[in-house]
Amino acid sequence: MSEKCRVIQWGMGHVGTAAIRMMLQKESIELVGAIVSREEKTGKDIGELVGYKSIGIKASNDPEKVLRTEADAVFLATAASIGTKGTWDENVKQVSTALKASKNVVTTAGFLYPWKNHPEMSQELDNLAKQHGVSLLGTGACPGFHTDFLPLALSGCMARVDKVIVRECEDDSFVDGTLWLTTTMGFGLTPEEFEKRSAGTLHKFMIELLSEPIHYIADGLGWELTELRPIHKYFTATEPLKTVALEVAPGTLCSHQFVIEAFIEDKLVISVEHSFKICPDKVKEPADGSYIKLEGRPSIETELKGNFWPWAMLTTTAHAVNTIPVVVKAQPGLVTMPELPLVTALK
């Protein structure tokens, strides 16, 4: 690896754009290429695409050509295909293409801890990374840090852990993409429209999203889970609501509550909840608040405060970008956060 990490950006949606802006300000990272899918971005300077001056790197829709560029890592920030198409196939193809080009991969698309849900896929990616002497890490913020890594870190202060409860309530009022708000979350749709259009895909996506942190925590604590129970509730607006990107009429969807409860026999040992809502000053269900509770000896509780959710895209991006140098130096294979040195903000 050179003194600076040479990075190829793959995907220029909300996370990818935030990643480029962040990396352009880092002394320890040098952007050397960018892969995009949207025709209107192809051939344009990526600095100008994110509101900066020209940096002499043009976005390309030819992954294999860009991946021939000398680079240490690929930051893959494409959409999670399990959420858009119902399978991991598209993301697996993208990751595999980068690994075959002997590039380390950090991604926010998934692959946090897929070993339990998709053992064959995980083993194939692990083998592929090792074959080419590189590493693959899936991470972000929720999941990627607050949902999974932080509860395990807190458990190190305990003599015994009986139950882990993680709760996150995300405020999407500041999200400026209607694709996420309407197509994925169904905000602004009636319950009947939502059930017909995207309920099944979203439900499957959230089970994948939340079950990986649960298996991650359970394996970290040496627990053998016997059952996972998913719960999904959604709520409709009682008055007109307006966000940065969307107007929601009364009687249409304005919030979701997703919970997965994990059991050992009949004992609840892990509960992970992630709720999405808009206009929290007017939408009261589900309740606000993001926290981690570990019950045991002694019990520990920590609350997530500040302006985390209005900056959710940035925190997701920042945590992933900050891992790049340690992933480049990691042992080859499909790696997870506990295997890496402490990740801190890059200079």
Side-chain angles (χ1 to χ4, degrees), residues 175-191:
V175 175
D176 60 2
T178 54
L179 178 65
W180 166 257
L181 293 171
T182 303
T183 304
T184 304
M185 302 305 301
F187 290 152
L189 301 181
T190 65

Side-chain angles (χ1 to χ4, degrees), residues 184-316:
T184 304
M185 302 305 301
F187 290 152
L189 301 181
T190 65
E192 294 75 21
E193 290 171 330
F194 174 65
E195 291 290 346
K196 289 179 181 178
R197 288 175 54 176
S198 57
T201 301
L202 179 60
H203 187 70
K204 181 177 180 180
F205 170 55
M206 291 306 300
I207 290 176
E208 290 273 345
L209 188 74
L210 298 183
S211 61
E212 285 196 8
I214 283 178
H215 291 305
Y216 182 109
I217 293 168
D219 283 2
L221 294 173
W223 290 350
E224 291 288 338
L225 303 176
T226 56
E227 184 184 5
L228 267 61
R229 299 177 189 171
I231 301 166
H232 177 198
K233 299 177 182 178
Y234 50 83
F235 307 87
T236 56
T238 58
E239 60 181 295
L241 304 171
K242 187 173 183 179
T243 74
V244 169
L246 192 68
E247 292 187 10
V248 172
T252 64
L253 268 65
C254 62
S255 63
H256 291 272
Q257 181 182 42
F258 295 93
V259 185
I260 295 187
E261 297 179 334
F263 293 80
I264 298 177
E265 302 304 336
D266 60 349
K267 181 183 179 183
L268 175 63
V269 292
I270 304 174
S271 174
V272 173
E273 174 184 342
H274 195 110
S275 295
F276 304 85
K277 65 192 300 187
I278 57 173
C279 305
D281 56 327
K282 297 179 179 179
V283 177
K284 301 307 179 184
E285 292 185 294
D288 294 336
S290 300
Y291 54 79
I292 300 168
K293 295 180 181 179
L294 280 74
E295 298 178 4
R297 185 170 181 266
S299 294
I300 296 174
E301 180 175 351
T302 183
E303 189 173 0
L304 189 64
K305 291 187 175 182
N307 60 349
F308 182 90
W309 292 116
W311 292 89
M313 291 295 179
L314 178 58
T315 53
T316 294

Side-chain angles (χ1 to χ4, degrees), residues 8-21:
I8 293 169
Q9 176 63 40
W10 191 337
M12 285 188 62
H14 289 293
V15 173
T17 297
I20 290 174
R21 288 173 178 160

